[in-house]
Amino acid sequence: MARSPRRAGAPRLQLPLLCLLLQGATAILFAVFVRYNHETDAALWHWGNHSNSDNEFYFRYPSFQDVHVMVFVGFGFLMAFLQRYGFGSVGFTFLLAAFALQWSTLIQGFFHSLHGGYIHVSVNSMINADFCAGAVLISFGAILGKTGPAQLLLMTLLEVVLFGINEFVLLNLLRVKDAGGSMTIHTFGAYFGLVLSRVLYRPQLEKSKHRQGSVYHSDLFAMIGTIFLWIFWPSFNSAPTTLGDGQHRTALNTYYSLSASTLGTFAMSALVGERGRLDMVHIQNAALAGGVVVGTAGEMMLTPFGALTAGFLAGTVSTLGYKFFTPILEAKFKVQDTCGVHNLHGIPGVLGALLGVLVVGLATHEAYGEGLGSVFPLIAKGQRTAMSQAMYQLFGLFVTLMFASVGGALGGLLLKLPCLGSPADCQCYEDQVYWEVPGEHEDAAQGPLKAEEPDTQA
Amino acid sequence: MARSPRRAGAPRLQLPLLCLLLQGATAILFAVFVRYNHETDAALWHWGNHSNSDNEFYFRYPSFQDVHVMVFVGFGFLMAFLQRYGFGSVGFTFLLAAFALQWSTLIQGFFHSLHGGYIHVSVNSMINADFCAGAVLISFGAILGKTGPAQLLLMTLLEVVLFGINEFVLLNLLRVKDAGGSMTIHTFGAYFGLVLSRVLYRPQLEKSKHRQGSVYHSDLFAMIGTIFLWIFWPSFNSAPTTLGDGQHRTALNTYYSLSASTLGTFAMSALVGERGRLDMVHIQNAALAGGVVVGTAGEMMLTPFGALTAGFLAGTVSTLGYKFFTPILEAKFKVQDTCGVHNLHGIPGVLGALLGVLVVGLATHEAYGEGLGSVFPLIAKGQRTAMSQAMYQLFGLFVTLMFASVGGALGGLLLKLPCLGSPADCQCYEDQVYWEVPGEHEDAAQGPLKAEEPDTQA
Amino acid sequence: MARSPRRAGAPRLQLPLLCLLLQGATAILFAVFVRYNHETDAALWHWGNHSNSDNEFYFRYPSFQDVHVMVFVGFGFLMAFLQRYGFGSVGFTFLLAAFALQWSTLIQGFFHSLHGGYIHVSVNSMINADFCAGAVLISFGAILGKTGPAQLLLMTLLEVVLFGINEFVLLNLLRVKDAGGSMTIHTFGAYFGLVLSRVLYRPQLEKSKHRQGSVYHSDLFAMIGTIFLWIFWPSFNSAPTTLGDGQHRTALNTYYSLSASTLGTFAMSALVGERGRLDMVHIQNAALAGGVVVGTAGEMMLTPFGALTAGFLAGTVSTLGYKFFTPILEAKFKVQDTCGVHNLHGIPGVLGALLGVLVVGLATHEAYGEGLGSVFPLIAKGQRTAMSQAMYQLFGLFVTLMFASVGGALGGLLLKLPCLGSPADCQCYEDQVYWEVPGEHEDAAQGPLKAEEPDTQA
């Protein structure tokens, strides 16, 4: 039962050849373009007369490692809530992110660190590449369980490019502030994935409904992802900010915002839950909305109170989204959003962008003092007023939504190529389509039963 | 079956309203009192002429993140050993800690960093708030599975205040040294929870006995908590110490102490185990006692040998406590200690305080040289002798036990308020009382069976 | 059924006495020899006029913590893939590593930091001790499930000594470069364990075959180990390098190498998999080969392209090793390699050593500039040519293989001491031999069935 669609749709050589092709192309581009920068090259570093402890590594690497945990452990296990898709959630996250960070090192390098024809890499390129991988995994969450690895790799190939262009337009052309990526990462990743999921709409998906939920242990695995995302989000938002007070303040704001979104999530989940009971889906996801919502404003003088308020609002709205809007999204808009990324990344991302517009608009020399230059260089230099910078922020949001929608549509058409062979409607959310699943042979006899009772077969 | 007590005892609006009330009050107090400090405020930071890399963020934040992992992953998953209470263990840890760190930012701020009517926050307030959350979670461990989220939030509301007062008395009035919190965190949290559990004594608790143990996978989830606590404990004890040799030495001592407590635990567990077999309960908990026991003395010149000895002793005593004392505690003292916090935090905390008394009493100018001032400022200034400082340390332990006992008693009375509706005796250690549990509906028919075979239903 | 061999072979006092003996001896040696170094001793540190923020703690400790996570979480959970040996995998990893890091602090101290008759410890000794523990756990992987804790402790006792000697010969006598330990850690640990496993060959091991595989959830636990190892490997390889560009470059190279080995692993796994399906064993292990293969060359001017190529090669070779060579290893060479350490650490370690030979041989003043002295001091001083250094590197590999083989043989003979009582052939990969397993009593009746259906009993 798990075999036919695989044989039919996707010849066994497809994934191997695609991996080899992508890795080969990436390696060649690395050979031609990628070089160590002045902090990682033995010859360049030792020119300057600075102490080894001045190396940016010591100020960025700990944050990078926290982000790295979020991308691979956080996203991977958060998506492992599905009873029969744990291998796919963790495994494909691993594959996509590993490719995305190589590919985005090239794409982002072309746009941001191309000097003398070479891309110069350091811990900063590692942080940026992981950020891009995060956006790809957000999109993955919208189509989780309904696509194969070859399709996902092609999605990554396209999305990384569009992510890089959108990021370039916002940060370099519009000079928008978005350290934690409310726009560039969350809004972009979410709407790219949602539009893509719309194009791949499956009217017959209820054939896999019995596999779409969680089981007791898979919810605990998902909580590993949630908790690591929650813990390290302050590092995520602060990783690329200016050193000093900027990075310190961003971590603090994110910490407060997340704690408030957690209380908001528990409150709403119990309020709307059957018999006042809490729903793991809400706790696993909406509690994280506080990190998304301060992705833009976190480095600004948001104030601790502002962070709490924003976080609480985000957690509340996100929980209500899971309860009431997700069903509408599928019924009315034909968008099947497996992980509810619209509620965790889409809406909170847009709210975060708007919060940024607000906080930028309120920026004053009094509030930022000499620090204005490090947060809003253009305002400090008098090239923009706070209000005009706020308008640029708002325009950045629209640009992001546009790139995400068009990109997602293109991605959807790309993934529809028949040769890619996505799983049949009755095969969604099922690891056996792409993975050797232990215990499979023992109960091969009771094949059809398998899907109904995944845990007992394990 | 899981419903009636819920309906009866706790109206569905209770948790939502309590969360909203607590978050609203906290947010208002933040608006009135909480401000960025000179290292997180854009205007204040850029006054001074210091380099951005001097920001304390770079010396404290990595330790903070390790502590943060311990509080949310460590405590949460360590308590997930119960076969049917994984959601409650991880989920309520998440809720309580998220509230505790906001609330303790205010309480600790009032006592420690109130300048000009404002509480000034930075990475240090994040570390201290997480420490306070740790104490709350220790108390939670004593009553795990026998209380509802509304009760737990009220416990947190009270405990954080008493924690802050006790901490203020010890650190600011008595000028006691307790960087890793053998007294302020472990002893306080443990005896607060144990006295509270005594007040909530349930003579009929054996009705839930079949759910009080672990299952194979839940023990592995618990080991995730154990290992992360064990790994990061050196960061926990060293996070708030003076920079330089103090922080370095504390991490080193804790590392040695933990490694010895692990060997002591395995030795004792096999010695007292049936047929010489190891017991997961011992390994999951007692191996951590080495971190607790050097919470006070870790920053002092304990010597590596002293750390090994203290750790080994703590691991041994803790294991024997699980084997022999926990049953007595319930039978004789009517204290039902779900996680055995008395063995992991109570006794080792007291031993750690006494070890501190000893090591402080032995402090000499020879041993500390110029560093005496950074570890024992009062002794260095000649305001106290080593012996008098040791007496203050001892007095600090008594003060802590007093605050914890009285506080726990008050907490117990508070949680007994009938309106709070705790789970029925036959409903303890059962997630379904407060959570939507997957698979519940499928086998709703075999309701009564559920409890007996939690894993097969999952 | 689980009892007899235990009673017969290993008296219940064996493990307790061995733990007490080893801990006692270690503690005495610590008392005699181990002292704080100038960065951890209050008196010594405050002599110098340096700022507290200069303490090496701030440049090494974050890397140490990442390594610490790898050793305890990474190795422990990676080996938890076995359906009935999760307690043993995580628990014995915990025990062995806790002893190994104390014991290797002494052994490595004697060889590397013995000044004036004292071993001086700091964060560097913590890093080195954890590295040695890693080598022990690699060897553990080769004999996982076929040995008891007493045997494993004796193996550790011996292996740590030989590890220390081999490391001394390579780093101090031959002056070989091997920061990430392709030779000293991976090659040594793998071949020590493989030869040891050969000596302990069990012709009747198929009696436990039904327990040798994974179950659905145990594969997810193993992925926790894999992902944490993968994430933190850049910290592992860079932890002991020279500060500045060296550490920065090593992390970057490892990051690229790992991402490429991941794509190589997915490609090969799907290529050789039945019906083109991915195999969790490959993903869990071979994807990590990229970290091993740059263990020597990672700190050198490998170039990002070189890192990608090496990583891809390692992932590919490792996957093919799991598929084709492991069966041969058992059938032809009578080596039963439970975790396939030969494919993850053995072959990639040797390849990493050879890659080091190549990259060292290509070292030029142009490529390293002023930085040559920090990577290759002897070449910079003109005491060696790049070619002669390369030859020393090659010789270091042979020395390592020699020490590992002889040591493994000795270890095998030691572990064969009848008094140590290893599990019977029908009792391998079974936690019940050494652990109290929950649910055991309930279904004690269906004893024989247990092994066949581990998950349902849990």
Side-chain angles (χ1 to χ4, degrees):
Chain A
M1 148 205 197
R3 281 120 217 170
S4 43
R6 190 99 181 81
R7 257 214 224 75
R12 57 177 299 157
L13 287 179
Q14 191 178 73
L15 179 61
L17 290 179
L18 188 57
C19 287
L20 297 178
L21 183 72
L22 294 175
Q23 183 60 77
T26 310
I28 291 164
L29 290 168
F30 262 61
V32 177
F33 292 107
V34 180
R35 300 289 181 271
Y36 298 121
N37 84 343
H38 62 284
E39 308 227 351
T40 45
D41 184 293
L44 300 178
W45 170 255
H46 288 266
W47 265 357
N49 62 348
H50 35 52
S51 97
N52 281 329
S53 59
D54 296 334
N55 196 293
E56 193 166 18
F57 180 81
Y58 301 103
F59 305 99
R60 298 288 186 194
Y61 188 72
S63 305
F64 160 72
Q65 275 296 9
D66 294 348
V67 172
H68 213 37
V69 171
M70 291 173 72
V71 169
F72 287 84
V73 176
F75 282 103
F77 281 91
L78 176 57
M79 294 193 275
F81 73 97
L82 289 169
Q83 57 187 256
R84 289 289 300 164
Y85 211 67
F87 292 7
S89 300
V90 177
F92 295 152
T93 292
F94 196 16
L95 173 63
L96 299 189
F99 170 60
L101 55 85
Q102 294 180 53
W103 182 227
S104 65
T105 298
L106 288 164
I107 299 298
Q108 292 177 311
F110 281 118
F111 287 120
H112 299 290
S113 56
L114 194 70
H115 312 297
Y118 292 122
I119 293 164
H120 292 89
V121 290
S122 71
V123 65
N124 289 303
S125 31
M126 293 160 78
I127 291 170
N128 291 327
D130 268 48
F131 275 11
C132 179
V136 170
L137 295 175
I138 291 167
S139 305
F140 176 37
I143 56 174
L144 186 73
K146 302 174 292 184
T147 43
Q151 292 177 294
L152 294 167
L153 280 171
L154 288 179
M155 177 191 81
T156 305
L157 185 70
L158 173 69
E159 183 169 3
V160 168
V161 175
L162 291 165
F163 175 94
I165 297 171
N166 182 62
E167 188 184 48
F168 177 74
V169 172
L170 265 67
L171 305 189
N172 299 49
L173 302 187
L174 301 178
R175 309 291 299 278
V176 156
K177 300 293 293 184
D178 192 23
S182 288
M183 289 179 274
T184 56
I185 299 168
H186 299 288
T187 304
F188 179 84
Y191 289 99
F192 183 99
L194 291 165
V195 173
L196 195 154
S197 183
R198 172 65 187 86
V199 178
L200 300 182
Y201 178 68
R202 291 166 176 265
Q204 301 293 305
L205 192 56
E206 69 279 7
K207 287 184 184 174
S208 295
K209 192 128 212 73
H210 54 283
R211 258 187 257 100
Q212 210 171 340
S214 62
V215 290
Y216 195 75
H217 281 144
S218 68
D219 268 326
L220 284 175
F221 279 113
M223 279 303 284
I224 295 173
T226 297
I227 298 293
F228 274 107
L229 285 167
W230 195 92
I231 288 167
F232 289 134
W233 216 297
S235 305
F236 186 92
N237 286 346
S238 65
T241 60
T242 51
L243 295 181
D245 65 296
Q247 193 165 10
H248 199 161
R249 184 172 55 250
T250 310
L252 194 59
N253 287 333
T254 309
Y255 172 83
Y256 290 135
S257 179
L258 284 161
S259 62
S261 64
T262 304
L263 265 77
T265 300
F266 273 85
M268 286 303 129
S269 184
L271 186 65
V272 301
E274 189 191 349
R275 289 183 303 279
R277 290 203 254 171
L278 295 158
D279 186 333
M280 261 292 167
V281 172
H282 303 155
I283 307 306
Q284 286 161 5
N285 294 280
L288 298 167
V292 177
V293 80
V294 295
T296 301
E299 70 176 312
M300 305 170 189
M301 292 293 285
L302 178 60
T303 78
F305 165 73
L308 284 183
T309 312
F312 180 77
L313 180 69
T316 307
V317 170
S318 182
T319 309
L320 297 176
Y322 275 97
K323 180 72 178 182
F324 301 110
F325 192 65
T326 296
I328 297 172
L329 201 61
E330 173 156 6
K332 296 262 175 309
F333 299 93
K334 294 188 164 23
V335 176
Q336 293 153 327
D337 180 4
T338 310
C339 297
V341 300
H342 186 259
N343 310 305
L344 171 49
H345 301 279
I347 293 298
V350 171
L351 290 175
L354 297 175
L355 177 66
V357 172
L358 176 68
V359 179
V360 170
L362 298 172
T364 62
H365 283 80
E366 290 60 43
Y368 292 81
E370 294 303 307
L372 188 62
S374 67
V375 184
F376 301 114
L378 297 180
I379 300 178
K381 294 194 215 116
Q383 296 173 16
R384 282 186 190 172
T385 65
M387 192 47 60
S388 63
Q389 177 68 33
M391 288 304 105
Y392 275 98
Q393 298 281 139
L394 188 60
F395 185 58
L397 173 60
F398 290 122
V399 171
T400 301
L401 289 167
M402 188 270 288
F403 268 105
S405 311
V406 175
L410 289 174
L413 297 174
L414 177 67
L415 268 58
K416 278 193 138 176
L417 293 175
C419 63
L420 294 175
S422 59
D425 289 337
C426 64
Q427 286 298 323
C428 290
Y429 317 117
E430 172 56 60
D431 273 332
Q432 280 188 41
V433 183
Y434 300 105
W435 299 84
E436 289 296 331
V437 174
E440 171 180 9
H441 307 301
E442 283 77 338
D443 47 36
Q446 35 164 314
L449 280 173
K450 218 173 303 153
E452 274 80 270
E453 42 187 297
D455 207 35
T456 54
Q457 81 143 349
Chain B
M1 146 206 199
R3 280 120 219 171
S4 42
R6 191 97 182 83
R7 259 214 222 75
R12 59 176 298 160
L13 288 179
Q14 191 178 74
L15 180 60
L17 291 178
L18 188 57
C19 287
L20 297 178
L21 183 73
L22 294 175
Q23 184 59 76
T26 309
I28 291 164
L29 290 168
F30 262 62
V32 178
F33 291 108
V34 179
R35 300 291 180 269
Y36 297 122
N37 83 342
H38 62 284
E39 308 226 350
T40 46
D41 184 292
L44 300 179
W45 171 255
H46 287 267
W47 266 356
N49 63 346
H50 35 54
S51 98
N52 281 329
S53 60
D54 296 335
N55 195 293
E56 193 165 18
F57 181 81
Y58 301 104
F59 304 100
R60 298 288 185 192
Y61 188 71
S63 305
F64 159 72
Q65 274 297 10
D66 294 348
V67 172
H68 213 36
V69 171
M70 292 173 71
V71 169
F72 288 84
V73 176
F75 282 103
F77 280 91
L78 176 57
M79 294 193 275
F81 73 97
L82 289 169
Q83 58 187 254
R84 289 289 301 163
Y85 209 68
F87 292 6
S89 300
V90 177
F92 295 153
T93 292
F94 195 17
L95 173 64
L96 299 189
F99 170 60
L101 56 83
Q102 294 180 52
W103 183 226
S104 64
T105 298
L106 288 162
I107 298 298
Q108 292 177 311
F110 282 118
F111 286 120
H112 298 290
S113 57
L114 193 71
H115 311 298
Y118 291 122
I119 293 164
H120 292 88
V121 291
S122 71
V123 66
N124 289 303
S125 31
M126 292 161 79
I127 291 169
N128 291 326
D130 268 47
F131 275 11
C132 179
V136 170
L137 295 175
I138 291 166
S139 305
F140 177 36
I143 55 176
L144 185 72
K146 301 173 294 182
T147 43
Q151 292 178 293
L152 293 168
L153 279 172
L154 289 178
M155 178 192 81
T156 305
L157 186 70
L158 173 69
E159 183 169 3
V160 168
V161 175
L162 291 165
F163 175 94
I165 297 172
N166 182 61
E167 188 184 48
F168 176 74
V169 171
L170 264 65
L171 304 188
N172 300 47
L173 303 186
L174 302 178
R175 309 293 300 278
V176 156
K177 301 293 293 185
D178 193 23
S182 288
M183 289 179 273
T184 55
I185 299 168
H186 300 288
T187 305
F188 179 84
Y191 289 100
F192 184 99
L194 291 165
V195 173
L196 196 154
S197 184
R198 172 66 188 84
V199 177
L200 299 184
Y201 178 68
R202 291 167 176 263
Q204 301 294 306
L205 191 56
E206 70 277 7
K207 287 184 184 172
S208 294
K209 192 127 214 72
H210 55 283
R211 258 186 259 103
Q212 211 171 339
S214 62
V215 290
Y216 195 75
H217 280 144
S218 69
D219 268 326
L220 284 174
F221 280 112
M223 280 303 286
I224 296 173
T226 297
I227 297 294
F228 274 106
L229 285 167
W230 195 93
I231 289 167
F232 289 135
W233 216 298
S235 305
F236 186 93
N237 286 346
S238 64
T241 60
T242 51
L243 296 180
D245 64 297
Q247 193 165 10
H248 198 160
R249 184 171 56 249
T250 311
L252 193 61
N253 286 333
T254 309
Y255 172 83
Y256 290 136
S257 179
L258 284 162
S259 62
S261 63
T262 304
L263 264 79
T265 300
F266 274 86
M268 287 301 128
S269 185
L271 185 65
V272 302
E274 192 191 346
R275 289 183 303 278
R277 290 203 254 171
L278 296 159
D279 185 334
M280 261 291 167
V281 173
H282 303 155
I283 308 306
Q284 285 162 2
N285 294 279
L288 297 168
V292 177
V293 80
V294 294
T296 301
E299 70 176 315
M300 305 171 190
M301 291 294 283
L302 177 60
T303 78
F305 165 73
L308 284 184
T309 312
F312 180 77
L313 181 69
T316 307
V317 171
S318 183
T319 308
L320 297 175
Y322 276 97
K323 181 73 179 182
F324 302 110
F325 193 64
T326 296
I328 297 172
L329 201 61
E330 172 154 8
K332 296 263 176 309
F333 299 92
K334 295 188 163 24
V335 177
Q336 293 154 327
D337 181 4
T338 310
C339 297
V341 300
H342 186 260
N343 310 305
L344 172 48
H345 301 280
I347 292 298
V350 171
L351 290 175
L354 297 175
L355 177 66
V357 172
L358 177 68
V359 179
V360 170
L362 297 172
T364 62
H365 284 77
E366 290 60 44
Y368 292 82
E370 295 303 307
L372 188 63
S374 68
V375 185
F376 301 115
L378 298 180
I379 299 177
K381 292 191 216 124
Q383 296 174 15
R384 281 186 191 173
T385 65
M387 192 47 59
S388 61
Q389 178 67 33
M391 288 304 105
Y392 276 97
Q393 298 281 138
L394 188 60
F395 186 57
L397 173 61
F398 290 121
V399 170
T400 301
L401 288 167
M402 188 269 289
F403 268 105
S405 309
V406 174
L410 288 173
L413 297 174
L414 177 66
L415 268 58
K416 277 192 136 176
L417 293 175
C419 62
L420 294 176
S422 59
D425 290 336
C426 64
Q427 286 298 326
C428 290
Y429 318 117
E430 173 55 59
D431 272 333
Q432 280 190 39
V433 183
Y434 299 104
W435 299 85
E436 289 295 331
V437 175
E440 172 180 7
H441 308 300
E442 284 76 339
D443 47 34
Q446 36 165 312
L449 278 175
K450 218 174 303 152
E452 274 80 87
E453 42 186 297
D455 208 33
T456 54
Q457 83 142 352
Chain C
M1 148 203 196
R3 280 117 220 176
S4 43
R6 191 100 179 83
R7 258 215 222 75
R12 59 177 298 160
L13 288 178
Q14 190 177 75
L15 180 60
L17 291 178
L18 188 56
C19 287
L20 297 178
L21 184 73
L22 294 175
Q23 184 60 77
T26 309
I28 291 164
L29 290 169
F30 262 61
V32 177
F33 292 108
V34 179
R35 300 289 181 269
Y36 298 121
N37 82 343
H38 63 283
E39 308 225 349
T40 45
D41 185 292
L44 300 179
W45 171 256
H46 288 266
W47 265 356
N49 61 348
H50 34 53
S51 100
N52 281 330
S53 59
D54 296 335
N55 195 292
E56 193 165 18
F57 181 81
Y58 302 103
F59 305 99
R60 299 287 186 193
Y61 188 72
S63 304
F64 159 73
Q65 274 297 9
D66 295 348
V67 171
H68 213 37
V69 171
M70 291 172 72
V71 169
F72 287 85
V73 175
F75 282 103
F77 280 91
L78 176 57
M79 295 194 274
F81 72 97
L82 289 169
Q83 58 188 255
R84 290 287 302 162
Y85 210 68
F87 292 6
S89 299
V90 178
F92 295 152
T93 292
F94 196 16
L95 173 64
L96 299 189
F99 170 60
L101 55 85
Q102 293 180 53
W103 183 226
S104 65
T105 298
L106 288 162
I107 298 298
Q108 292 177 310
F110 281 118
F111 286 119
H112 299 290
S113 57
L114 194 70
H115 311 298
Y118 292 122
I119 294 165
H120 292 90
V121 291
S122 72
V123 65
N124 289 304
S125 30
M126 292 161 79
I127 291 169
N128 291 326
D130 268 48
F131 276 11
C132 179
V136 170
L137 295 175
I138 291 167
S139 305
F140 176 37
I143 56 174
L144 185 73
K146 302 174 292 183
T147 44
Q151 292 178 294
L152 293 168
L153 280 171
L154 289 178
M155 177 192 82
T156 305
L157 185 70
L158 173 69
E159 182 169 3
V160 168
V161 175
L162 291 166
F163 175 94
I165 298 171
N166 181 62
E167 189 184 47
F168 176 74
V169 171
L170 265 66
L171 304 189
N172 299 48
L173 303 187
L174 301 178
R175 310 291 300 277
V176 155
K177 301 293 291 185
D178 193 24
S182 287
M183 289 179 275
T184 56
I185 299 168
H186 299 288
T187 304
F188 179 84
Y191 289 99
F192 183 99
L194 291 165
V195 172
L196 196 155
S197 183
R198 172 65 186 84
V199 177
L200 300 182
Y201 178 67
R202 291 167 176 263
Q204 302 294 305
L205 191 57
E206 69 277 9
K207 287 183 184 174
S208 293
K209 192 127 212 74
H210 55 282
R211 259 185 257 101
Q212 210 170 339
S214 63
V215 291
Y216 195 75
H217 280 144
S218 68
D219 268 326
L220 284 175
F221 279 112
M223 280 304 285
I224 296 174
T226 298
I227 299 293
F228 274 106
L229 285 167
W230 195 92
I231 289 167
F232 289 135
W233 216 297
S235 305
F236 186 93
N237 286 347
S238 64
T241 59
T242 51
L243 296 180
D245 65 297
Q247 194 166 9
H248 199 160
R249 183 171 58 248
T250 311
L252 194 59
N253 286 333
T254 309
Y255 172 82
Y256 290 134
S257 180
L258 284 162
S259 61
S261 63
T262 304
L263 264 77
T265 300
F266 273 86
M268 287 302 129
S269 184
L271 187 64
V272 303
E274 191 192 347
R275 289 184 302 278
R277 290 202 255 173
L278 295 158
D279 186 332
M280 261 290 167
V281 172
H282 303 156
I283 308 306
Q284 286 162 3
N285 294 279
L288 298 167
V292 177
V293 80
V294 295
T296 301
E299 70 176 313
M300 306 170 189
M301 291 294 283
L302 178 60
T303 78
F305 165 73
L308 284 184
T309 312
F312 179 78
L313 179 70
T316 306
V317 170
S318 182
T319 309
L320 297 176
Y322 275 97
K323 180 73 178 181
F324 301 110
F325 192 65
T326 296
I328 296 172
L329 201 61
E330 172 155 6
K332 296 264 175 310
F333 299 93
K334 295 186 162 28
V335 176
Q336 293 155 326
D337 181 4
T338 310
C339 297
V341 301
H342 186 260
N343 311 305
L344 172 49
H345 301 280
I347 293 299
V350 171
L351 290 176
L354 297 176
L355 178 65
V357 172
L358 176 69
V359 180
V360 170
L362 297 174
T364 62
H365 283 80
E366 290 59 43
Y368 292 81
E370 294 303 305
L372 188 64
S374 68
V375 183
F376 302 114
L378 298 180
I379 300 177
K381 294 194 214 117
Q383 297 173 15
R384 282 186 190 172
T385 65
M387 193 45 61
S388 62
Q389 178 68 32
M391 287 305 105
Y392 275 98
Q393 298 281 138
L394 188 60
F395 185 58
L397 173 61
F398 290 122
V399 171
T400 301
L401 289 167
M402 188 270 289
F403 268 106
S405 309
V406 174
L410 288 173
L413 298 174
L414 178 65
L415 268 58
K416 277 193 137 174
L417 293 175
C419 64
L420 293 176
S422 59
D425 290 336
C426 64
Q427 286 298 324
C428 291
Y429 317 117
E430 173 56 59
D431 273 333
Q432 279 190 41
V433 183
Y434 300 104
W435 299 85
E436 289 295 332
V437 175
E440 170 181 9
H441 307 301
E442 284 74 340
D443 47 33
Q446 34 162 317
L449 280 173
K450 216 173 303 155
E452 275 80 87
E453 43 186 302
D455 207 33
T456 54
Q457 81 142 353

